[in-house]
Amino acid sequence: MKKVKLPKRIAGVKVPKELRKTAERAIETAQSPRGREVIAAGLSMAAAAASAAVVRARAEREAPPVPSRPADAPVPPVPPVTPHAPVPPVPPVPPVPPRGTTTQVDPAKVVEAMSQVAEQVLGQFFRKRG
């Protein structure tokens, strides 16, 4: 792997030596296999958080409005209850996942996909331009 060297001036502005050296070390770390894994893990966590926010927002939008009743509404009398056999409770139906998703996420597949994307992005970012 070729050592990264940043220019002293970028867009006519002098970049301080400490900042250049720190950035060069960060780029070298990102180009290593371990650095790519860390980037992929961070991207997958960000994607998971974004996905959860979208699902939560959709659930809030699609929730039926809670009807309000006036404070002075008359309450009808309660009829007497006749004894009968107890009815077993019905288990709640789980919500249907959004279209195109699954109920279980395979973390290995997410990390693999994010690693491939990170590798492509870094490859485009650090490729030789000529």
Side-chain angles (χ1 to χ4, degrees):
M1 187 173 359
K2 185 179 175 187
K3 183 170 171 101
V4 177
K5 186 160 174 123
L6 295 177
K8 289 182 180 181
R9 291 187 172 271
I10 297 177
V13 178
K14 186 176 182 204
V15 179
K17 186 175 184 177
E18 302 84 35
L19 183 60
R20 282 195 328 264
K21 297 299 177 187
T22 303
E24 288 169 359
R25 284 192 301 272
I27 291 169
E28 287 174 3
T29 302
Q31 289 179 334
S32 71
R34 178 68 183 139
R36 289 180 181 164
E37 285 180 24
V38 170
I39 291 171
L43 289 173
S44 65
M45 285 189 277
S51 175
V54 168
V55 170
R56 189 176 326 121
R58 179 179 289 160
E60 289 173 1
R61 270 195 322 268
E62 293 175 355
V66 178
S68 61
R69 75 178 185 154
D72 297 339
V75 178
V78 178
V81 178
T82 58
H84 59 280
V87 178
V90 178
V93 178
V96 178
R99 189 174 186 191
T101 63
T102 60
T103 55
Q104 295 295 322
V105 177
D106 185 3
K109 287 184 179 181
V110 171
V111 169
E112 181 182 338
M114 296 304 291
S115 296
Q116 290 174 354
V117 169
E119 190 170 329
Q120 289 175 354
V121 168
L122 291 173
Q124 290 294 319
F125 189 64
F126 296 113
R127 77 174 195 267
K128 289 187 177 182
R129 294 186 169 94

